[in-house]
């Protein structure tokens, strides 16, 4: 039965992940687990109990709520405080690779992930596609304004917006090349 009032709802669990000014990112569900960026750590949480079952270090903190998570092929990708960090989702201990965007970095931007390609934007207005397993840059596209939106994909094109109020459609090849 769907709850209709506050009295009809209940909390199954809650877990404190940070203290002080540290922030928690959006959560990502993969199988039986939740993942979240919390301060300078990534947390793997049992979604049934709320227990933290693994913790890994981030290259930077999530102090301004700027971190976003994406998942694909057993890997987690965190865009946090100007960097993209790839980690094994089972262990969350050690980064597989780290990418630092030129200029001012990646903030508040969600990534698009498909197969072996991850695409993300930066405050320098650069849309970047990388090999998701190695972090090697496959292609770039220069937009007008900061890219702080999530990246969407349909019918061979990437879609995103910039701080100048523009919405872009950029073709992407199967290998991640940006036309």
């Amino acid at each position: 039965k769907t709850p209709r009032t506050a009295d009809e709802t209940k909390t199954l669990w809650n877990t404190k992940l940070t203290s002080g000014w540290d922030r928690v990112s959006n959560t990502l569900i993969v199988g039986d687990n939740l993942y979240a960026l919390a301060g300078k750590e990534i947390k793997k949480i049992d979604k049934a109990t709320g227990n933290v079952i693994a913790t890994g270090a981030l290259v930077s903190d999530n102090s301004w709520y700027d971190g976003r998570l994406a998942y694909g092929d057993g890997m987690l990708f965190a865009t946090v405080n100007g960097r993209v960090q790839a980690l094994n989702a089972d262990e969350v201990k050690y980064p597989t690779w780290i990418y630092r965007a030129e200029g001012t970095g990646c903030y508040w931007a969600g990534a698009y992930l498909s197969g072996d390609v991850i695409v993300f934007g930066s405050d320098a207005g650069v849309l970047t596609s990388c090999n998701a397993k190695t972090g090697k840059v496959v292609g770039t596209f220069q937009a007008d304004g900061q890219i702080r939106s999530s990246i969407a994909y349909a019918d061979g094109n990437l879609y995103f917006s910039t701080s100048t109020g523009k919405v872009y459609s950029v073709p992407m090849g199967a290998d991640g090349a940006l036309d």
Side-chain angles (χ1 to χ4, degrees), residues 58-69:
L58 294 171
V59 293
S60 186
D61 66 9
N62 188 44
S63 59
W64 296 101
Y65 298 103
D66 65 342
R68 299 291 180 264
L69 287 167

Side-chain angles (χ1 to χ4, degrees), residues 82 99-106 122-124 126:
Y99 176 84
R100 171 79 173 158
E102 291 184 32
T104 56
C106 312
S122 74
D123 266 18
V126 179

